[in-house]
Amino acid sequence: MGCGGCCRYFPCLRFTIGILTFLAFLMGVLSFMAPAWLERNIQSAELRDADFKDYETYSFGVLSSGGVYKAKENLEGEVIETSKYVWRFNDSWSQWSKLEDQTVMIVYAVGMLFILISLWNIAITECVPIKNQSTMLIMMVVWDILAALCIGAAVIMYCATWHNNDDLKKFCKNEGEGTEFKAFSLGICKLSWALYGAVATACIVIFVTGLNIIAAYQAKSQRRDAAFRHM
């Protein structure tokens, strides 16, 4: 059987699986690196915002943090205020010193590793003639399920333990009336796009899992039909 045998039933299926898996991997990596899981506007009058007084907004991610920086430029004697997005990696790791924080990083990274393995399997399936492609596709189903579970677990653990993180607690704690910063409660912060991106990554991988199951069934059906024709 040549590569792409099951495309007899649905010519675009394998291509769709590859593209969606690749996009899920890119989105997952971007969400992992982006400083945009928890965000809020900066109130320069508050003492706890002294470190962020030059920012309009600031946000924390898994590996980095950053925000919209207010800069003043002197052009021909005229002071002009400009804004630019500034971010940095948390190279001191002070934000992720506790076990639950490290677990979020490790579990999420393992999920991305499973997606990468699935991409490698896709490359092998498309480029190398494999007699039993349905087995390879079932393996991809396993990798995708594990990836979705790991990424989903990382997001849930993050939301369940963010109040134990000293930096996030200081950043999001509500010192007045309103929502308390605790498990699954945002305080004065709000969810930012990178966390939604992580959830979307898990959802795309689950969708791709369904496509892989269909592709595996089609490959198995074609193999059975070919066996009948040679009887």
Side-chain angles (χ1 to χ4, degrees), residues 38 159-160 162-163 172 178-189 191:
L38 282 181
C159 297
W162 55 26
H163 61 292
C172 296
T179 306
E180 182 183 356
F181 185 59
K182 57 183 181 180
F184 302 102
S185 180
L186 291 166
I188 60 174
C189 289
L191 300 179

Side-chain angles (χ1 to χ4, degrees), residues 124-168:
I124 294 176
T125 304
E126 291 297 326
C127 300
V128 179
I130 298 176
K131 184 176 181 180
N132 193 353
Q133 292 192 14
S134 61
T135 302
M136 182 67 75
L137 290 166
I138 290 299
M139 289 175 60
M140 290 161 56
V141 169
V142 174
W143 300 132
D144 289 341
I145 290 175
L146 291 175
L149 288 175
C150 287
I151 294 175
V155 172
I156 292 174
M157 283 189 293
Y158 179 80
C159 297
T161 61
W162 55 26
H163 61 292
N164 294 327
N165 186 289
D166 294 335
D167 290 344
L168 294 180

Side-chain angles (χ1 to χ4, degrees), residues 43-65:
Q43 306 294 330
S44 57
E46 293 189 15
L47 182 61
R48 64 174 169 176
D49 286 346
D51 295 336
F52 313 115
K53 59 183 178 63
D54 294 326
Y55 290 87
E56 294 179 6
T57 63
Y58 202 83
S59 56
F60 284 92
V62 176
L63 295 180
S64 59
S65 60

Side-chain angles (χ1 to χ4, degrees), residues 27-169:
M27 185 183 299
V29 171
L30 181 61
S31 299
F32 191 44
M33 297 177 63
W37 283 50
L38 282 181
E39 178 183 19
R40 73 172 174 84
N41 296 325
I42 299 301
Q43 306 294 330
S44 57
E46 293 189 15
L47 182 61
R48 64 174 169 176
D49 286 346
D51 295 336
F52 313 115
K53 59 183 178 63
D54 294 326
Y55 290 87
E56 294 179 6
T57 63
Y58 202 83
S59 56
F60 284 92
V62 176
L63 295 180
S64 59
S65 60
V68 179
Y69 183 78
K70 297 180 294 183
K72 293 183 179 180
E73 298 181 0
N74 194 334
L75 300 176
E76 298 179 356
E78 183 180 358
V79 177
I80 300 177
E81 289 190 0
T82 60
S83 297
K84 59 181 179 180
Y85 196 86
V86 177
W87 67 288
R88 61 182 177 82
F89 282 106
N90 299 327
D91 50 4
S92 65
W93 301 105
S94 61
Q95 184 192 346
W96 304 102
S97 58
K98 295 183 178 179
L99 178 61
E100 56 264 33
D101 302 326
Q102 297 168 358
T103 303
V104 170
M105 286 194 299
I106 293 172
V107 172
Y108 192 103
V110 169
M112 295 308 303
L113 177 61
F114 285 135
I115 297 179
L116 189 60
I117 294 174
S118 184
L119 276 174
W120 175 250
N121 286 349
I122 290 172
I124 294 176
T125 304
E126 291 297 326
C127 300
V128 179
I130 298 176
K131 184 176 181 180
N132 193 353
Q133 292 192 14
S134 61
T135 302
M136 182 67 75
L137 290 166
I138 290 299
M139 289 175 60
M140 290 161 56
V141 169
V142 174
W143 300 132
D144 289 341
I145 290 175
L146 291 175
L149 288 175
C150 287
I151 294 175
V155 172
I156 292 174
M157 283 189 293
Y158 179 80
C159 297
T161 61
W162 55 26
H163 61 292
N164 294 327
N165 186 289
D166 294 335
D167 290 344
L168 294 180
K169 186 174 183 180

